[in-house]
Structures are given as structure tokens and as C-alpha cells.
Amino acid sequence: MRRPGGWWRTKSTPEKVETYTRWSFHFFGVIEVFALGVSAYGRTGAGLATVLCLLVVAHAAVCMLVSSRALDWTRGRRPQPVRLMWTLVVVSAVVSATAVVIAERGPAGEVETAAGSVYGGVLCFAAGVITLGVSGRRRMVAVVGGFAVGAGLLTFPLEMPVLASVVLAGLVMVTGGFLAVTSIFSLWLLNAVYALDDAKETRARLAVAEERLRFGRDLHDVMGRNLAVIALKSELAVQLSRRGRPEAVEQMIEVQRIAQESQREVRDVVRGYREAALEVELAGARGVLTAAGITAKVTGETAGLPAEVQSALGWVVREATTNVLRHGDAKKVAVTVRLSGGRVVLTVENDGVAETTGDGPSAETAGTAGSAHTGGSGGSGLAGLRERLSAVDGTLEAGPAGRGVFRLTAAVPLPDAAAGAALEVAS
């Protein structure tokens, strides 16, 4: 069973903003019910107040449905809710006309005020909601203006003065326009959040692609030159061999030497690609996290650590940072490097973890530092990190560490000489 609030923590930042926006639109309907429907009980008799309240509740329900479908249309999940919007127009007209009839034929006094509030209020809320389902400024202005004109025309059966009709139309225009602008701004903000999230994903993919291109260029520089030489010397050896010249053997020996040298250079390129300096990775993690708006705190000394230890822990920092950016919703990340009992202990903590239970995701996949890519020999994720650490007799632990906190701990033992040098540097 999921803990209370777990459904919220499992959402990404754009999904949270969308949920907030959607329920904000629904809250407009709640405001309409209380401001127009429930308030009628204090202005007129229970019978007429109940009728007005039911009309308002029905209108608010249609407004909620239209706003929800319009939001889905904006995100490209549903077609434009044209029929629902016309349904809202008809419902608004029916509720307004009924309110006019009640105000005209009902008992004089407070009932006119209650019915008049319902009459103008439903038109304002309808104008603000329908603008969610249209595109373009002109159409939005036309929607609000149409409701304002309709509000003025429907006052003629009440024999209201022309000035009062104009004032009422102006109020509908201003109030409906305010609700429309508020709704449109909320949608713009939601789309901006999704665009930023897509940009972050694109930036991560571009970083990976750039690294692959660099690796490809390095291999091309190494192999392209040597293969060209091998091809030329092999052709020369063939020609010499056909002529029975003993120099063919020397040329093939040279080809063998160049091939072996190419193997060595390729291994050097791959080794440089796989190795990660801990100090460099810590500085890079601080810069990337800060640029992403995440508070990053890095503490500890890395001087004097063996190259293989730095490489293994550097990969832990790189993988944890990548997953915090791509899969988490962290606000703070703390990275600590310390010496403890002849071991180097690296700890990465972040507050972007969704709480889970026994029937949910495993502890290792619950947090942002280990939520993705858990398989693959030598690849990324926890499995790949454990394989790298096992090469230096290291260990890796990952899982929730308190409410909303995910902790990844990597420990690598130090050789006796390296441990003594590192302790001297630390002291």
C-alpha cells in the first residue's frame, strides 16, 4: 500500500504543475458554486435558492469538464472539445435565461439580486473557461466580447435602462476577461514547464551524443592513419612477393608492427574514455547541478588517491549526477568524500526520491541516483557501477535514507601505501 502523498512524490515536476493547473480550473467551479449558488440561500427563499443553486452546480460541472478537456487538447492528448464548448454556451444561455425569468416573475426584492448575480456570474465563468479551448488572441477576445454582448442583450426582458445594460456588459467583459487571462497564463506556464523539461532531456542527449562523436573522432584519427599505412604496405608486400623479392617479408613485419601499435593506441583511447578523474567529476557535478537550479554541496579531499580508485568513484559521481538531472526532482544534493578505516567512502544524497513500500519499486530503483539503466555489463546504472567497483574490491549501497531522501554510498579500500599518503594529505 502506497503511503499518503506517495502519488504526488512519484510525479515529475511538469506532471505536478499540470495537476496543480487542472485542479485550479476545477477550483474555479467550486468558487462559482459557493459565490453564486450557495450565497442565494441568504438572499431569497429556500425554494428559489435551491433552484438557482442547482442551476449553478450544473453549470459549474460543465465548466469543469470543458476546462479538463481543453487542457488535454492543449497538451495534444485529445481533439479540440468543440461540442463541449457549444454545450457550455447553451447551458450558460439556459441558466442565464432562467435567472432572468426568476428575476422578472419571482417576488420582488432580494430575489432579483440573487438571480442577477447568477445571471452575470455564469456568463463570466463561461467566458473564462471557453477561452481555454480556442487558439489565437482574436478568437479569445471574440469569445469574451460575445458573452459581454449577450449579457447586455438578455437584459432587455427585464426592461433595464440602457446604461445599466451597458454597465452589466462591461462587468462581464472585465470579469470574464480577467478569468480568461488567468486561465491562458496558467496554460502558458504549464507549456513552459514542459518545454523546459524537454530541453533538459535534449541537453542530456546532446551531451551523450557529443561524447560519442568525440570518441568516434579519436578512433578515426587513430585507425584511419594506421589502416591507410597498412593497406599501402600490404599492397607493396604483395607486389614484392609476386616478384620473388625478399623485401616482402620485411614489409609484412612492418604491417604486423603497425597493427600491434594500432591495437595499443585503440586501448589507450578506450581507457581514456572509460576513466573518470574524481576531482574533475566532482567539479563538473557541482557546476551542472548548480546550472540546473539544484543546490549542490561537495565536501572532502581527493588528493593522494590512487588513479584506479579515483576512476571508479568518478564514475559513481558521474552516474549519480546524470540520474539526478534526468530522473529526479531534487532540490538539494550533497556529495561527501571521506576516509574511514582504510577506505574511501563516497556518499551522494538527494531529496528527490519518491517514497515506496514493499509492493512498489525496489529500494535501489526508488531514488534518483539509481533509478535508471540498472543493467548492462560495464554500462550505466547500479549494475554497471557495482561491476566497476568490484574491480577495485569496492562496494555500493543505494536506497532511501529517511523521508524523501535517497542515499548512494560507494566504499573502496585503499592500499596500505596509498592509505598512508592520503592520511598525511588529509592531516
Side-chain angles (χ1 to χ4, degrees), residues 285-346:
R286 183 190 293 110
V288 171
L289 292 171
T290 303
I294 301 173
T295 302
K297 182 180 180 182
V298 180
T299 58
E301 289 292 337
T302 61
L305 298 179
E308 61 272 13
V309 174
Q310 291 207 33
S311 178
L313 294 180
W315 270 102
V316 175
V317 175
R318 181 183 297 180
E319 181 68 18
T321 303
T322 300
N323 284 329
V324 166
L325 292 173
R326 296 185 62 182
H327 308 287
D329 190 22
K331 300 298 185 295
K332 296 180 181 179
V333 176
V335 183
T336 305
V337 181
R338 58 186 176 87
L339 295 176
S340 176
R343 300 186 307 166
V344 182
V345 180
L346 171 70

Side-chain angles (χ1 to χ4, degrees), residues 382-401:
L382 295 179
L385 293 179
R386 285 197 174 96
E387 183 175 344
R388 292 180 184 276
L389 291 173
S390 64
V392 290
D393 297 327
T395 59
L396 181 71
E397 297 179 358

Side-chain angles (χ1 to χ4, degrees), residues 137-154:
R137 296 180 181 178
R138 294 183 179 180
R139 293 181 180 178
M140 295 175 182
V141 173
V143 168
V144 177
F147 273 92
V149 172
L153 294 177
L154 285 176

Side-chain angles (χ1 to χ4, degrees), residues 30 38 60 77 97 123 125 139 146 166 215 228 255 262 277 285 296 344 354 387:
V30 176
V38 176
R77 304 189 189 108
L123 295 177
F125 280 100
R139 293 181 180 178
V166 172
F215 183 63
V255 168
S262 298
V344 182
E387 183 175 344

